[in-house]
Each structure stands twice: as structure tokens, then as C-alpha cells.
């Protein structure tokens, strides 16, 4: 990623950036350690201590609420159609571990750790 690209134009949805995001991470760490990617609709946090603080404060930064925010960005009709399709096949999607907070995260993770 070139440093002459304005930060407001940076998006992790860009295929080129997805192919090699490390220069973008380095630049954000230097210039904008807490960056809001407008196209992706999410924050990118690049400093260890900030990330650690966020991960430990599940009251303010819930992983479980992420899926609710994501649902708000999807076309309601498409979301309904997908849900109906899954349910018709007898499968209701569940959040992944990355979208769970403790204590549920810890319990489900323990199942995988044993495997």
C-alpha cells in the first residue's frame, strides 16, 4: 500500500489490500492506530495494548453484538430468504467462536480444545 493514498480511501474490502494487508497495518499502526474503515463499517485496531483492553472489556466491546450489527447492514429480504432456506434444511446457523463472549465462548472452546 502506498503512503500517498489518503487514509479515508483505505478499505480492507479492496482485493489488493486483502492480498497483502501488512503494509496497511504498518501504516495504520503509525498514523491511525484506531481506524474506522467506512466501506467495511468496522474499526481496525493496531496496537497490542488497545486490542488487549478491548478483548478484556466484553461489557463495552461485545463480540456477540457484532452479528446483530452485521444483520442491520444486510438487506432484510435477503436475510429472511437465507434464514428460511437454512431452516427448511433443518439447520439454523449459530455464531462462530469469534462472535461469542464468555461464558459461552469458554464452554464451546473447551469442546474444540479437547478435539
Amino acid at each position: 500500500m502506498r503512503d500517498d493514498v489518503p487514509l479515508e480511501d483505505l478499505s480492507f474490502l479492496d482485493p489488493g489490500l486483502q492480498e497483502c494487508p501488512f503494509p496497511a497495518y504498518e501504516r495504520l499502526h503509525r498514523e491511525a492506530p484506531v481506524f474506522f474503515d467506512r466501506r467495511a463499517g468496522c474499526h481496525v485496531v493496531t496496537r497490542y495494548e488497545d486490542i488487549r483492553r478491548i478483548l478484556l472489556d466484553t461489557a463495552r466491546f461485545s463480540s456477540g453484538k457484532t452479528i446483530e450489527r452485521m444483520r442491520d447492514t444486510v438487506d432484510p429480504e435477503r436475510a429472511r430468504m437465507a434464514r428460511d432456506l437454512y431452516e427448511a434444511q433443518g439447520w439454523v446457523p449459530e455464531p462462530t467462536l469469534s462472535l461469542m463472549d464468555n461464558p459461552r465462548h469458554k464452554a464451546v472452546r473447551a469442546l474444540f480444545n479437547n478435539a
Side-chain angles (χ1 to χ4, degrees), residues 1 5-11 27-28 31-32 35-36 38:
M1 183 189 135
V5 174
L7 280 178
E8 60 269 9
D9 293 341
L10 186 144
S11 177
R27 181 174 179 201
L28 291 178
E31 298 177 29
F35 172 76
F36 185 72
R38 289 184 293 175

Side-chain angles (χ1 to χ4, degrees), residues 14-87:
D14 290 334
L17 201 146
Q18 289 178 6
E19 190 172 310
C20 184
F22 301 108
Y25 291 141
E26 287 178 23
R27 181 174 179 201
L28 291 178
H29 188 77
R30 240 185 6 257
E31 298 177 29
V34 178
F35 172 76
F36 185 72
D37 183 331
R38 289 184 293 175
R39 281 184 49 209
C42 65
H43 286 87
V44 178
V45 182
T46 61
R47 290 188 180 154
Y48 174 82
E49 284 303 322
D50 295 334
I51 294 167
R52 189 175 193 295
R53 193 173 314 117
I54 288 167
L55 290 173
L56 293 173
D57 186 354
T58 57
R60 288 180 44 206
F61 302 101
S62 171
S63 296
K65 292 179 185 169
T66 301
I67 198 156
E68 294 167 16
R69 287 191 302 271
M70 289 168 59
R71 281 187 192 127
D72 291 342
T73 65
V74 174
D75 174 3
E77 181 61 18
R78 283 185 74 168
R80 184 196 60 74
M81 289 171 54
R83 187 176 53 253
D84 291 350
L85 178 65
Y86 288 133
E87 288 176 359

